[in-house]
Amino acid sequence: MAVSAIDSLMNPNEKARVAPQKTMGQADFLKLLTTQMQNQDPTNPVDNTKMIADMAQFSSLEAMKQLNDTVSSMSQMFKVNQAVQASMLVGKDVVVPGNKISLISGNAPIALVDIKQPLTDVKAQIRDASGTLVREYAWDRLPVGQGDLKWDGKDGSGNALMQGNYTVTAWGTNSEGARTAVGTLVAKKVVSVDVGSSGASLNLADGSAAGLDEILRRHAEQRAQEYEADRLSMRKPERFPRHGLPF
């Protein structure tokens, strides 16, 4: 994102400051009211009640305008903060929903399962571009949470696989005995950032996009999950077996 984009967020009213004022301010109203009183008909003076009502109405409108300006300023600062946060992610990998993995030499592939409900007989499979199964994971049961498969780029026999594109899928059995698909998360590189009225958006290397709020929320949930798992493990480790989980 160009620096000028952030500058435009920092100074949204730059043109408004140099443009001639077209609306009546409080000073203009008081000047108009004073002139009206000075030139009123002595035989038919301005009604005091009406004058007070007009002044009260104007004061109310002025207060509303100031409130709107304050909210608008806060909104702009929020967008600036999001733009700065998003720009710091350019060139880095973020974890987003998806099932496509790019195996590149020197980069550890990242693939996670996203368990929304306790499941049994869970399986996750990784297949190459031709659809051939190259790696499979299986668990008797998995709790709610996100777990890293810790795939090392090798097949089930420990042989290093060729660089290229791979697909991960997962499923399990729910409490009602029905097979259900399991969501998967993969890492994608951020190449640029867009800032719009709805906030900052991260443009990813595969042409897709992800909202910054979504990335931050998922990161916070994962950190909270890890903290809770560590806390429970320290308090009563004997009651929380890991079931051979890879995460």
Side-chain angles (χ1 to χ4, degrees):
M1 182 184 61
V3 175
S4 58
I6 296 182
D7 289 340
S8 65
L9 289 173
M10 293 288 290
N11 303 291
N13 299 317
E14 186 67 30
K15 294 182 179 179
R17 286 201 295 266
V18 299
Q21 186 175 358
K22 296 181 179 180
T23 58
M24 178 183 292
Q26 185 174 11
D28 298 322
F29 176 79
L30 293 176
K31 181 178 180 180
L32 180 62
L33 183 62
T34 301
T35 302
Q36 180 183 6
M37 294 180 65
Q38 290 176 342
N39 295 276
Q40 64 181 324
D41 183 355
T43 62
N44 186 24
V46 176
D47 182 67
N48 291 335
T49 302
K50 181 178 181 303
M51 182 179 66
I52 294 175
D54 289 343
M55 294 182 64
Q57 183 179 17
F58 182 84
S59 297
S60 177
L61 292 175
E62 185 72 12
M64 290 179 62
K65 179 181 180 300
Q66 292 178 358
L67 177 61
N68 288 337
D69 290 343
T70 300
V71 172
S72 178
S73 177
M74 292 175 62
S75 176
Q76 288 300 130
M77 291 305 299
F78 176 74
K79 289 181 180 179
V80 170
N81 182 54
Q82 277 207 328
V84 173
Q85 285 183 305
S87 64
M88 295 175 64
L89 294 175
V90 174
K92 298 181 180 179
D93 289 336
V94 294
V95 175
V96 296
N99 64 348
K100 304 296 182 183
I101 310 172
S102 294
L103 185 58
I104 302 174
S105 177
N107 289 345
I110 297 177
L112 301 89
V113 290
D114 189 11
I115 309 296
K116 300 297 187 182
Q117 58 181 318
L119 298 174
T120 58
D121 300 324
V122 185
K123 285 189 176 182
Q125 294 183 341
I126 297 177
R127 297 177 180 272
D128 62 18
S130 67
T132 302
L133 177 64
V134 297
R135 190 73 175 266
E136 183 175 83
Y137 300 84
W139 308 273
D140 292 335
R141 61 179 57 83
L142 287 182
V144 174
Q146 297 175 358
D148 190 350
L149 296 181
K150 301 187 186 302
W151 184 39
D152 55 6
K154 298 179 180 181
D155 63 17
S157 300
N159 301 312
L161 295 169
M162 296 180 60
Q163 298 184 49
N165 297 320
Y166 294 81
T167 302
V168 57
T169 55
W171 65 90
T173 303
N174 62 22
S175 59
E176 298 178 351
R179 174 169 164 167
T180 181
V182 173
T184 54
L185 305 169
V186 296
K188 297 182 181 180
K189 189 175 296 295
V190 179
V191 295
S192 62
V193 174
D194 287 331
V195 181
S197 58
S198 59
S201 176
L202 308 176
N203 299 318
L204 308 178
D206 65 349
S208 61
L212 177 64
D213 289 341
E214 176 188 359
I215 300 298
L216 297 178
R217 176 185 58 78
R218 185 174 295 109
H219 177 70
E221 288 177 350
Q222 188 172 9
R223 291 294 298 275
Q225 174 189 329
E226 293 172 353
Y227 173 81
E228 183 66 10
D230 290 342
R231 184 181 67 84
L232 293 176
S233 178
M234 287 187 294
R235 288 178 58 187
K236 297 181 179 181
E238 72 282 1
R239 294 190 59 186
F240 296 90
R242 300 190 67 84
H243 303 294
L245 301 180
F247 52 87

